[in-house]
């Protein structure tokens, strides 16, 4: 059994580093309230299709996708081929692979609706119900379903992940979508990796790992930062990738964001931007997507609306 290291645990506890609130528990409470309220509003006010099963033959919890649409889309047109959509925003939630769900993760859907962009919120089973490799596989399977829909619409998908969700989004760069699913690389419009963790090995020594049950070996294999160049799908080397962290993320998260951006550039990805947004912490950084007039939102929408 791996020894618990309190210093590493603190370094990888984002709620301990906020400049806004000193009580870590209160940071989590406020973040949960913010994203839950906005997600409930989206479900109440936007056309949506909820609980779309990724694999009807499995009973894995939350292995579903929620789709949200611009408010001018008629309900009887949802998910058919007549929707005019240039882009689809795909969101993968965080929570250290053991917290949160689709229910709190549609907080940006109204923002995207106002920009005439559908949103697909990916759900996945969390630990301890499943192992980490199963979580990665479930997210990949969800993307297949979304990509098939995007193909019918002739739309590009833009994948955004926050924290552990950014890790899961980055694993999608390791899939040869053409060879495995006959999906063309041109369906990928970009990746927004927000405050992610890409080297999971330090987590093995923390309390975070208790439900995850990773060993040092499995954590290394699950770390995109340790995967060699040949594991990455070269067809995505020219896709825009934004690696973003907040000024008040923990030093460990800031370092990992910079390291992963640098690693992607080193192995041949040509359109990587590594960005620090000042005056934001791990949580209010992603909460920006709830509103139009925020720096991260502007950055995301500018890329999605680019010719």
């Amino acid at each position: 059994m791996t020894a618990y290291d309190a210093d590493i645990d603190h370094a990888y506890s984002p709620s301990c580093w906020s400049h806004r609130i000193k009580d870590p528990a209160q940071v989590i409470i406020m973040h949960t309230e913010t994203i839950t309220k906005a997600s409930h509003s989206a479900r109440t006010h936007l056309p949506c299709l909820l609980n779309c099963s990724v694999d009807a033959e499995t009973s894995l919890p939350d292995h579903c996708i929620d789709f949200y649409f611009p408010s001018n889309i008629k309900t009887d047109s949802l998910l058919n081929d007549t929707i005019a959509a240039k882009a689809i925003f795909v969101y993968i939630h965080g929570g250290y692979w053991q917290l949160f769900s689709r229910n709190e993760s549609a907080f940006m859907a109204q923002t995207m609706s106002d920009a005439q962009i559908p949103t697909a919120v990916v759900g996945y089973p969390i630990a301890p119900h499943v192992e980490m490799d199963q979580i990665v596989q479930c997210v990949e399977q969800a993307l297949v379903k979304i990509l098939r829909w995007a193909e019918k619409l002739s739309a590009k998908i833009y994948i955004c992940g926050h924290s552990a969700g950014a890790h899961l989004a980055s694993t999608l760069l390791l899939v040869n979508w053409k060879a495995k699913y006959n999906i063309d690389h041109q369906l990928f419009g970009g990746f927004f990796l927000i405050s992610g963790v890409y080297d999971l090995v330090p987590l093995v020594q923390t309390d975070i790992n208790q439900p995850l049950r990773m060993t040092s070996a499995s954590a290394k294999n699950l770390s995109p930062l340790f995967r060699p160049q040949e594991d990455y799908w070269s067809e995505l080397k020219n896709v825009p990738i934004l690696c973003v962290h907040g000024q008040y993320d923990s030093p460990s998260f800031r370092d990992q964001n910079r390291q992963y951006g640098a690693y992607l550039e080193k192995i041949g990805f040509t359109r990587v931007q590594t960005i620090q947004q000042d005056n934001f912490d791990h949580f209010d950084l992603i909460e920006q997507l709830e509103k139009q007039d925020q720096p991260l939102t502007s950055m995301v929408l500018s890329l999605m609306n680019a010719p």
Side-chain angles (χ1 to χ4, degrees), residues 95-117:
Y96 267 142
W97 310 277
Q98 58 198 277
L99 297 170
F100 297 130
S101 69
R102 290 170 293 124
N103 294 334
E104 308 86 20
S105 302
F107 54 93
M108 78 300 295
Q110 184 65 60
T111 297
M112 296 300 156
S113 171
D114 293 342
Q116 294 299 298
I117 297 170

Side-chain angles (χ1 to χ4, degrees), residues 139-157:
V139 171
E140 179 180 326
Q141 291 170 350
L143 257 291
V144 173
K145 186 163 187 169
I146 295 168
L147 283 160
R148 296 292 186 207
W149 179 50
E151 196 171 30
K152 292 178 181 178
L153 299 181
S154 299
K156 292 181 180 291
I157 69 166

Side-chain angles (χ1 to χ4, degrees), residues 175-307:
V175 180
N176 186 326
W177 296 91
K178 187 67 175 178
K180 195 169 183 179
Y181 300 107
N182 197 30
I183 291 172
D184 195 272
H185 72 277
Q186 293 178 342
L187 288 173
F188 291 85
F191 286 75
F192 308 114
L193 307 179
I194 314 300
S195 292
V197 56
Y198 311 101
D199 171 6
L200 308 190
V201 175
L203 301 181
V204 174
Q205 300 180 64
T206 71
D207 192 51
I208 296 158
N209 192 45
Q210 186 174 349
L212 302 174
R213 303 186 296 275
M214 293 187 293
T215 64
S216 294
S218 67
K220 187 172 184 178
N221 185 59
L222 289 161
S223 298
L225 198 52
F226 291 125
R227 298 292 287 271
Q229 179 176 350
E230 55 267 26
D231 284 358
Y232 281 81
W233 191 30
S234 61
E235 292 297 319
L236 292 181
K237 67 181 180 180
N238 297 319
V239 72
I241 301 174
L242 304 187
C243 298
V244 185
H245 66 268
Q247 178 184 4
Y248 296 103
D249 255 312
S250 80
S252 297
F253 273 84
R254 297 200 305 268
D255 288 347
Q256 287 224 12
N257 188 63
R258 295 187 184 108
Q259 289 167 10
Y260 190 57
Y263 182 66
L264 289 175
E265 291 186 278
K266 178 183 176 182
I267 63 175
F269 284 79
T270 64
R271 299 180 66 187
V272 180
Q273 295 183 61
T274 303
I275 299 163
Q276 173 175 295
Q277 288 205 328
D278 291 340
N279 301 315
F280 290 98
D281 62 34
H282 188 81
F283 301 98
D284 63 350
L285 178 63
I286 193 65
E287 289 169 11
Q288 291 180 75
L289 294 182
E290 182 192 348
K291 299 176 181 177
Q292 292 274 2
D293 60 346
Q294 297 295 306
L296 181 63
T297 309
S298 297
M299 196 182 305
V300 166
L301 290 178
S302 292
L303 182 56
M304 295 179 74
N305 289 321

